[in-house]
Amino acid sequence: MNAPLRRVGLVVIVLFGLLFANLNWIQAYKADDYRNSDYNGRVQVAEYERKRGNIEAGGTALAVSKETGGELKYLRTYPGGPKYAHVIGYKPVNLADTGIEESENEFLAGTSDRLIGDRLRDLVTGDETAGANVLLTISKQAQDVAYEQLRKNRLGVKKGAAIALDPSTGAVQALVSMPSFDPDPLASHDTDEATAAFNELQQDPDGPLKNRVLKEVLPPGSTFKIVTAAAALENGVTTETKIPAGPSWTPPTSGQPIGNAAPSICPEAEVTLMNAVTESCNTGFAQLGVRLGADTLKEKARQFGFDQDEDDLTVGRIGEDGESVATSRTGSMENADGSVDPAALAQSSIGQRDVRMTPLQGALIAATVAHDGRQMSPYLVSQILGPDRTTNYYPTTKPRELRQPVSGEVAADLRAMMVSAVENGTGRNARIGGYTVGGKTGTAQDGDKPPHGWFIGFALDKDGKPVSAVCVVLESAGDSGSAEAARIAGQIMRAAIASPGSR
């Protein structure tokens, strides 16, 4: 055989080898992906042969499946409507699943290995046993209040978010992102109708599909001062230590002075750390942050959960995949040559500059302070019950500690300062009769937009046990935004406390 033919033969052998390798790759490694693809029509028909399990909260079904008599035998509907859209997500025919519908799909669809007994029984009986039912931690009362208060806030703000947690367990009591949307059109069996509904929502400039609680980050403003205060308490400062303050302060190397929200706020040359938190003293915390240094501040923020791209921080079933969470970040505090920029550090210490935070992170900060410095992993799924509602495939969730950012002693000092901020300072609107409430407001500048209004806080019962922690943000709400956020937070915590089963 001459050389050209040998080369051709070698090329053909190599091509056949590549084809064989690709075939094995598809059949062995990628088989499940193709078999379970949302775009596999046979899988879609098979999936709709079995009635999908309910998603429920407080004994009420928020996502159910109804018989259609068509090729796709069951239609997914959402009696909870827009109020629960960002909690549950949606299950479309040709679009991607989201939320609990995605993270618990195997149980809801009845395809989980844990349901093998049901499927074996179906082989004998010829039945198609329904999928399992997912029970959520959500308090219906707290969710109702959070949704209505955000939707009808006194400032007429259209965009915002609220989340409430049980500080002792991490169980999510309420989760609302506004504006919201109706999931029903997205689950329509008319794929053209569903696609048109999705495109309309996707193109809405207010972003109703965005889960602002988990996936959107904004400058947190003065709520970040709790992190700065925690770093100070661990570095020789006490609640009664006097720190430099004053009506205005210009950081070294910067010509831009930092002032307070009003002339009446800490005009003195020095104030105690307690008063600095109570009054929300910008000049005091800016100078304190520069004194602590960028490394100290960034490390304390990291310990609370900032700057951590961790795969396990999802919100669904504890210890399992759930709705992913955007990373809260402290941003840059350095010059181009790597040296610390005092002006950037000063602004970052009061939650400005490049600091960005999710509402979930804000709630976790408040929950950590309330729970003696222990931060619990947030979760939404409490139980998974079989179609017969007696088989418990996922027993009542056991809480899991995520991290301990501060000691019990530091947490106690932070609690005292946050309680003072509600009783004597900027967070008065969050007060709840018969409970001790602590919190911190934040008014965050964000470019040319009106400032965002924030509030993070917690409620303790008469025995000092934490019963709820919350974060509320109203986007571009103006100077009154933080006071309105505090009022809404108080209403949500009151509803969470009054829910059946609350302590």
Side-chain angles (χ1 to χ4, degrees), residues 243-249 258-272 275-276 279-284 287:
I243 61 174
S248 178
W249 181 69
I258 293 174
N260 299 308
S264 59
I265 296 175
C266 61
E268 309 94 328
E270 292 183 326
V271 295
T272 64
N275 287 339
E279 296 184 63
S280 198
C281 180
N282 290 341
T283 55
Q287 293 176 79

Side-chain angles (χ1 to χ4, degrees), residues 146-157:
Y147 181 77
E148 290 303 321
Q149 290 289 329
L150 277 179
R151 191 168 69 93
K152 299 178 181 178
N153 67 84
R154 295 176 178 178
L155 302 178
V157 175

Side-chain angles (χ1 to χ4, degrees), residues 297-477:
L297 186 62
K298 287 172 89 64
E299 175 58 21
K300 181 47 58 184
R302 190 195 68 78
Q303 291 170 9
F304 269 99
F306 286 77
D307 298 324
Q308 297 208 22
D309 295 313
E310 50 190 352
D311 294 333
D312 64 336
L313 186 54
T314 60
V315 181
R317 181 157 38 106
I318 196 167
E320 302 289 339
D321 289 342
E323 188 83 359
S324 62
V325 179
T327 302
S328 299
R329 299 197 178 279
T330 53
S332 174
M333 303 178 193
E334 293 81 28
N335 294 305
D337 61 2
S339 61
V340 174
D341 179 356
L345 176 54
Q347 290 285 347
S348 299
S349 301
I350 58 174
Q352 294 289 169
R353 182 73 178 192
D354 297 329
V355 182
R356 296 293 182 272
M357 184 174 81
T358 62
L360 172 63
Q361 180 64 62
L364 287 174
I365 291 172
T368 300
V369 173
H371 191 44
D372 292 327
R374 297 166 58 199
Q375 190 175 108
M376 307 305 288
S377 184
Y379 65 96
L380 263 170
V381 176
S382 62
Q383 287 181 284
I384 299 179
L385 299 180
D388 58 6
R389 304 193 71 83
T390 59
T391 308
N392 195 346
Y393 292 109
Y394 183 69
T396 302
T397 298
K398 294 181 179 179
R400 183 185 69 177
E401 185 174 311
L402 190 60
R403 55 175 71 92
Q404 183 161 1
V406 293
S407 67
E409 293 79 8
V410 169
D413 285 342
L414 292 171
R415 275 198 305 276
M417 292 188 288
M418 292 175 74
V419 168
S420 178
V422 170
E423 293 183 349
N424 309 304
T426 58
R428 289 185 178 89
N429 284 356
R431 289 177 291 187
I432 303 172
Y435 289 84
T436 300
V437 177
K440 184 71 193 75
T441 54
T443 301
Q445 305 296 326
D446 191 4
D448 296 331
K449 304 179 222 174
H452 309 306
W454 287 84
F455 181 83
I456 63 171
F458 55 80
L460 312 175
D461 66 15
K462 59 183 177 58
D463 297 320
K465 294 180 180 178
V467 289
S468 189
V470 69
C471 177
V472 175
V473 60
L474 297 173
E475 294 186 27
S476 302

Side-chain angles (χ1 to χ4, degrees), residues 31-178:
D32 285 342
D33 289 344
Y34 286 117
R35 184 166 51 249
N36 297 321
S37 170
D38 292 333
Y39 300 99
N40 187 331
R42 287 181 297 176
V43 169
Q44 290 172 355
V45 172
E47 187 174 19
Y48 285 85
E49 289 286 326
R50 188 188 305 273
K51 186 176 183 180
R52 193 171 178 83
N54 293 347
I55 302 175
E56 304 175 6
T60 299
L62 307 172
V64 299
S65 292
K66 297 181 179 179
E67 290 191 46
T68 66
E71 183 181 27
L72 302 183
K73 291 185 178 180
Y74 294 97
L75 173 68
R76 196 63 162 167
T77 63
Y78 298 93
K83 188 181 298 182
Y84 289 89
H86 292 99
V87 177
I88 294 171
Y90 50 88
K91 173 69 178 176
V93 176
N94 272 344
L95 303 169
D97 306 351
T98 66
I100 294 296
E101 290 279 35
E102 177 190 21
S103 62
E104 299 300 340
N105 180 61
E106 289 190 348
F107 277 107
L108 291 164
T111 59
S112 169
D113 291 342
R114 301 284 291 275
L115 278 73
I116 186 66
D118 293 324
R119 295 199 296 276
L120 289 174
R121 185 176 61 248
D122 290 348
L123 289 176
V124 177
T125 64
D127 296 330
E128 289 284 358
T129 305
N133 303 290
V134 175
L135 277 58
L136 304 181
T137 61
I138 292 290
S139 154
K140 284 186 79 279
Q141 291 91 328
Q143 186 76 5
D144 288 347
V145 169
Y147 181 77
E148 290 303 321
Q149 290 289 329
L150 277 179
R151 191 168 69 93
K152 299 178 181 178
N153 67 84
R154 295 176 178 178
L155 302 178
V157 175
K158 293 182 178 180
K159 294 187 283 188
I163 180 170
L165 308 168
D166 181 335
S168 300
T169 66
V172 178
Q173 299 166 331
L175 189 159
V176 174
S177 176
M178 293 296 289

Side-chain angles (χ1 to χ4, degrees), residues 3 59 204:
D204 188 324

